[in-house]
Amino acid sequence: MGKDVIIACDFDSAEKTFAFLDKFTGKKPFVKIGMELYYAEGPSIVKEIKKRGHKIFLDLKLHDIPNTVKKSMAVLSRLDVDMTNLHAAGTKRMMQAAIEGLTRPDGTRPMLIAVTQLTSTDQESMENDLLIKAPIDEVVMHYASCASEAGLDGVVCSPLEAGKVHDRCGKNFVTVTPGVRFADGDIGDQKRVMTPAEANKIGSDYIVVGRPITAADDPVAAYERCCKEFIG
Ligand code: C5P
């Protein structure tokens, strides 16, 4: 498992995505395809980006009954992505079913990571809307433990939680962390942020970076700066 910078390709069309990726003539970055782009363009966007030589994190956050998730993961597995994800709230049984579906006949499979509590959920909305009364930090750590026990490879979490997740679930349990900003950059709508260097120090394995790279005047330079600060 290698440390890497994953660029969030939050575009709404293949055209905009390729205009962006065409700028990278050297190293092909690891990219994240989320719901917006996937729902706009379908599986072909995954195949085309893969063909261009990029690693892919397919961020579709599955959450359904175990049988449906298992069958959907089997379909996603055939797209040959490198990493995909689901909601830990779907239960351990759903996560185990997802692994079964994702595993190819030869025993290989993409990395599978879990979303714990979305960072848009706060203590108040968790208590009032979901009737979960435990402190949110405890809920995040509990979901991480469940994901680890179900055999998943890691979780998406805030860089601020990455160290605690490693303490609880072990060094090899991968932490994928969004909410990364350059020290001299715009925070935008993110609330709790870290620089790539800080994310490295605290033990993030992969950082997911969107606008600091996609909206930069020189995206390739911003990507290279990010890699240098995070990986060295
Ligand atoms: O542009 P920015 O760097 O904020 O993009 C971060 C990416 O990570 C987006 O694709 C966003 O949806 C995703 N993400 C996040 N916070 C989470 C989970 C995912 O920002 N808790």
Side-chain angles (χ1 to χ4, degrees):
M1 177 202 59
K3 257 181 141 49
D4 213 345
V5 172
I6 303 177
I7 303 181
C9 282
D10 293 325
F11 301 110
D12 61 6
S13 72
E15 198 185 344
K16 288 180 199 163
T17 307
F18 291 133
F20 172 73
L21 293 178
D22 280 345
K23 299 181 200 294
F24 293 84
T25 51
K27 182 185 166 194
K28 302 283 180 191
F30 201 140
V31 301
K32 177 170 91 74
I33 300 174
M35 289 187 237
E36 184 185 11
L37 184 56
Y38 190 79
Y39 292 147
E41 298 290 346
S44 65
I45 190 74
V46 177
K47 292 178 192 159
E48 284 174 48
I49 294 178
K50 189 83 199 171
K51 221 189 302 167
R52 287 167 166 242
H54 298 270
K55 283 191 172 173
I56 296 174
F57 168 21
L58 188 56
D59 177 21
L60 298 181
K61 301 186 179 72
L62 274 67
H63 188 174
D64 208 318
I65 60 170
N67 185 55
T68 301
V69 169
K70 179 178 171 176
K71 287 161 117 183
S72 307
M73 284 293 183
V75 173
L76 295 183
S77 183
R78 294 202 285 276
L79 287 176
D80 198 23
V81 296
D82 299 278
M83 183 188 288
T84 191
N85 64 357
L86 46 63
H87 275 283
T91 75
K92 273 194 218 172
R93 204 151 69 79
M94 187 202 79
M95 292 193 266
Q96 286 159 349
I99 291 181
E100 283 173 31
L102 207 54
T103 305
R104 305 182 185 103
D106 67 359
T108 63
R109 64 166 174 81
M111 285 176 70
L112 182 62
I113 59 170
V115 174
T116 56
Q117 275 296 349
L118 290 172
T119 44
S120 50
T121 308
D122 58 12
Q123 186 72 37
E124 196 187 347
S125 53
M126 203 180 65
E127 288 186 15
N128 294 342
D129 302 353
L130 309 178
L131 272 186
I132 299 173
K133 303 291 183 191
I136 195 157
D137 293 4
E138 218 175 276
V139 174
V140 168
M141 287 306 143
H142 178 65
Y143 281 179
S145 293
C146 288
S148 173
E149 284 158 21
L152 269 71
D153 303 296
V155 285
V156 183
C157 62
S158 148
L160 298 149
E161 291 156 353
K164 273 189 272 174
V165 169
H166 281 138
D167 290 346
R168 170 80 76 107
C169 303
K171 277 267 160 290
N172 292 332
F173 193 66
V174 166
T175 52
V176 179
T177 62
V180 174
R181 291 293 180 266
F182 291 120
D184 54 359
D186 248 359
I187 290 185
D189 55 359
Q190 293 284 9
K191 298 259 182 302
R192 300 179 301 153
V193 298
M194 265 194 192
T195 65
E198 286 165 343
N200 174 42
K201 216 158 142 201
I202 207 152
S204 295
D205 297 294
Y206 295 89
I207 51 173
V208 175
V209 188
R211 288 158 294 179
I213 295 174
T214 55
D217 291 337
D218 184 344
V220 177
Y223 170 68
E224 284 168 357
R225 176 181 174 193
C226 213
C227 290
K228 194 152 177 256
E229 286 190 18
F230 181 60
I231 308 166

